[in-house]
Amino acid sequence: EIVLQWLQRLIVEANDAKLISIAPPILSRVFNQLGNGIVMMNTAEQLNDFPMPFPLAQTVTFMLLLHWALTGLVVATTLDQ
């Protein structure tokens, strides 16, 4: 979040010093997108804070392995050469 504040401050100072000339609607959109990025980063951190339950992880792993094995078997038996 500190980096976001630094970026916003640099953008505003550069715009005030006429180093960059950005139309106000575009500048507003830049700040909006930066804010959306921080919100998405916080959402990702929240997802990382709550781990997947172990039984669910084992079930997903088993189902993926079963799908991997059965797909090859079904394709091999249903295709004609």
Side-chain angles (χ1 to χ4, degrees), residues 27-79:
L27 191 58
S28 171
R29 183 68 178 185
V30 167
F31 290 134
N32 186 8
Q33 289 297 316
L34 287 171
N36 288 344
I38 288 295
V39 168
M40 294 176 86
M41 186 184 77
N42 286 334
T43 302
E45 286 177 355
Q46 287 176 358
L47 290 175
N48 193 28
D49 289 343
F50 297 101
M52 182 183 288
F54 184 71
L56 179 60
Q58 293 295 62
T59 302
V60 168
T61 301
F62 173 74
M63 295 300 285
L64 283 171
L65 288 173
L66 184 67
H67 183 268
W68 172 72
L70 289 179
T71 299
L73 185 66
V74 168
V75 169
T77 58
T78 59
L79 290 179

